[in-house]
Amino acid sequence: VQLQASGGGLVQPGGSLRLSCEPSGFTLKNYAVGWFRQAPGKEREGMQCMSSSGVTTYWPKHRAGRFTISRDNARNTAYLHMTNLRPDDTAVYYCASAGGCEEPQRDFGSWGPGTQVTVSS
């Protein structure tokens, strides 16, 4: 079982992207979905999480603002909408799942290979 993040690419500063997160081997609607990223030379960091009921949790350092998490349980897909992208948003973006957003980030699972987002002019 795995979550596949997609939708990354090369975007200019100030641009937008929508990342998608789709599961293989299970139904996502019963789980919380978290978005994470890992920039070159840095540790992976959690950004936002959405519970199975649609409640958003913003993990430290990532308050509501340029990025918005959403989910469409009918499509079995979660999304990360990113706007006003900056060069320091360049990273590999991952999604992962857990029973709830209150679980420690280390307990999130079903990691896939992630999707590369590069913000550059």
Side-chain angles (χ1 to χ4, degrees):
V1 293
Q2 193 177 75
L3 285 169
Q4 180 64 55
S6 62
L10 175 64
V11 62
Q12 291 188 342
S16 300
L17 281 175
R18 186 185 74 168
L19 305 184
S20 298
C21 174
E22 296 179 272
S24 62
F26 68 104
T27 300
L28 193 58
K29 67 177 182 179
N30 298 322
Y31 297 90
V33 178
W35 281 98
F36 303 78
R37 69 182 182 184
Q38 187 165 19
K42 296 187 178 181
E43 293 186 355
R44 188 177 65 201
E45 58 179 352
M47 304 170 62
Q48 300 183 18
C49 179
M50 180 167 276
S51 70
S52 59
S53 61
V55 177
T56 300
T57 296
Y58 300 95
W59 284 319
K61 302 182 183 179
H62 287 279
R63 301 296 179 225
R66 298 183 297 119
F67 294 2
T68 304
I69 191 172
S70 67
R71 66 192 300 163
D72 184 340
N73 287 337
R75 296 181 181 273
N76 206 27
T77 304
Y79 304 96
L80 184 68
H81 307 261
M82 306 189 294
T83 62
N84 194 21
L85 284 161
R86 306 186 302 229
D88 61 358
D89 294 317
T90 295
V92 179
Y93 285 71
Y94 303 87
C95 56
S97 62
C101 295
E102 70 280 2
E103 295 191 17
Q105 293 182 23
R106 64 178 180 273
D107 289 343
F108 277 67
S110 302
W111 297 91
T115 186
Q116 175 71 48
V117 172
T118 301
V119 184
S120 175
S121 56

